[in-house]
Amino acid sequence: MDTVLAPLLYLVSWIMIGWHWLFSELMGIDHDGVNWALSIIGLVVVIRILLIPLFVRQIRSQRKMQLLQPQLRELQKKYKGDRERLQQEMMKLYKDTGTNPFASCLPILLQAPFFFALFRVLDGIAKDNARGAFEQGSALFESAMNAEIFGAKLSESFLTSDDLNTKIIAAVMVVLMVASQFITQRQIMRKNMPKEALEGPFAQQQKILLYVLPLVFAFSGVYFPLGTVLYWLTSNFWTMGQQLYVIRRMPAPGTEAERAHQRRLEEKARRKGVALPTPDAGPEPEEPQGEVVRRQPKKTSRAQRKKK
């Protein structure tokens, strides 16, 4: 695994070392455990900034999926007894509209290699085995090995530590990680999805993410070093903030978030005494200036026209 992840091991460790140098310059070496914790948070910031274009793509894909729900329901009714044909028609619809039904999973999937690279770096620190940019026996490596927050080492996990304080802090952080994952996904489904989008395959995908992912992190979190739990917890808070911004400022059409956004705009306009623009009803019909009588030409026979 270390051979496959070698470039990421160096990238992750160099980012951490860079942030650690910066925070050490600002806060001093007396707060070294805090400096290393902040360097992991800094790693999250760097990675999530790089993933912002992907986040925008994710939002656009989710909007497309919401708009496709009526067509997907029609396909389900039409091919109710033919599951294979239904899947073919759904894939064709996704292809024709340029929609990726799995785009909502992409940020998590792309973060996974960085997450495992951080796991391997911290695991190596815990086992006195330097990986990535860390050098065995160096002062920096020893500093990372002894880094603590609230008396718990960042390189230890719930299962590997014999210290009760470390187990308590690890358990609290895992619970917060799972809760933030659940709340983030739930706020999307409750506030920023139209009612019709809560049915069909897209809704099933969202429900799977809602319940399965927190369970996965709950069972696996006890194996993770505290540093990796801190990474994922920080990443969840970042995602939550992004979603709150999108829900408040760019709500999906036909959702409760959009209605709340419209009410805020109306309240803001009322306080400023400005009327909100209304849909253009078109130009009003002009009133006639005077009565104009148009006479139709009389029909004449061929004999009468010859006389003329």
Side-chain angles (χ1 to χ4, degrees):
M1 181 179 289
D2 287 350
T3 303
V4 175
L5 292 175
L8 287 180
L9 292 176
Y10 276 92
L11 177 61
V12 165
S13 54
W14 271 120
I15 293 174
M16 288 177 60
I17 291 171
W19 280 112
H20 177 263
W21 173 84
L22 176 62
F23 288 120
S24 295
E25 291 293 316
L26 295 175
M27 302 177 62
I29 200 67
D30 294 335
H31 305 279
D32 214 37
V34 176
N35 294 339
W36 282 113
L38 291 176
S39 71
I40 294 174
I41 295 174
L43 174 66
V44 176
V45 172
V46 171
I47 293 174
R48 294 309 299 264
I49 288 176
L50 294 176
L51 290 178
I52 284 178
L54 184 63
F55 175 75
V56 173
R57 183 180 175 185
Q58 173 192 2
I59 295 298
R60 290 175 178 172
S61 182
Q62 287 177 340
R63 298 284 171 85
K64 287 182 180 180
M65 285 297 298
Q66 291 170 2
L67 294 175
L68 287 179
Q69 292 311 299
Q71 298 178 57
L72 289 173
R73 284 196 297 273
E74 289 298 322
L75 289 176
Q76 287 177 318
K77 292 178 182 178
K78 186 175 181 180
Y79 302 105
K80 188 175 181 180
D82 192 344
R83 189 175 184 83
E84 183 178 352
R85 181 66 184 278
L86 174 61
Q87 292 297 326
Q88 292 175 354
E89 293 297 326
M90 287 171 58
M91 291 299 106
K92 183 176 182 299
L93 179 62
Y94 293 147
K95 183 178 179 180
D96 293 342
T97 56
T99 304
N100 183 1
F102 303 106
S104 58
C105 304
L106 288 178
I108 294 177
L109 294 177
L110 288 184
Q111 278 194 89
F114 294 97
F115 181 76
F116 286 119
L118 177 62
F119 175 86
R120 295 299 294 168
V121 169
L122 293 177
D123 181 69
I125 291 173
K127 296 177 180 177
D128 196 16
N129 180 19
R131 294 188 176 105
F134 286 102
E135 295 181 5
Q136 193 74 31
S138 65
L140 195 64
F141 182 70
E142 295 294 329
S143 170
M145 186 184 299
N146 297 316
E148 295 181 353
I149 53 170
F150 307 114
K153 287 188 176 181
L154 289 171
S155 57
E156 293 186 345
S157 69
F158 180 88
L159 293 181
T160 60
S161 177
D162 296 326
D163 180 54
L164 179 61
N165 181 60
T166 300
K167 286 184 177 292
I168 292 174
I169 292 176
V172 170
M173 291 179 67
V174 169
V175 169
L176 289 175
M177 178 180 68
V178 171
S180 59
Q181 184 81 38
F182 180 82
I183 292 171
T184 300
Q185 192 63 31
R186 193 167 185 263
Q187 75 180 359
I188 299 173
M189 297 185 66
R190 286 177 61 88
K191 295 182 178 180
N192 207 37
M193 289 181 64
K195 187 177 180 181
E196 58 272 13
L198 296 176
E199 302 174 0
F202 179 67
Q204 293 301 320
Q205 175 192 338
Q206 297 297 317
K207 289 179 181 178
I208 290 173
L209 292 175
L210 177 63
Y211 294 105
V212 173
L213 283 180
L215 288 176
V216 170
F217 286 112
F219 286 109
S220 59
V222 294
Y223 294 93
F224 297 152
L226 287 183
T228 54
V229 178
L230 177 62
Y231 172 94
W232 206 258
L233 178 60
T234 306
S235 182
N236 285 349
F237 283 135
W238 180 288
T239 302
M240 189 181 299
Q242 277 186 329
Q243 292 293 352
L244 286 173
Y245 178 84
V246 170
I247 290 172
R248 184 173 179 83
R249 303 296 296 272
M250 296 177 290
T255 63
E256 178 60 33
E258 185 189 40
R259 290 187 285 272
H261 179 65
Q262 184 63 28
R263 289 193 294 269
R264 288 194 298 271
L265 290 178
E266 292 173 354
E267 178 63 22
K268 185 176 180 180
R270 185 185 64 80
R271 288 197 303 267
K272 291 184 176 181
V274 179
L276 286 176
T278 56
D280 189 7
E284 296 183 359
E286 296 182 359
E287 295 183 1
Q289 299 298 323
E291 187 176 358
V292 178
V293 180
R294 184 177 179 183
R295 300 181 180 276
Q296 296 291 335
K298 293 182 178 181
K299 188 176 181 180
T300 57
S301 64
R302 185 179 297 177
Q304 290 175 330
R305 289 198 296 271
K306 285 183 178 180
K307 289 181 180 180
K308 293 181 180 180

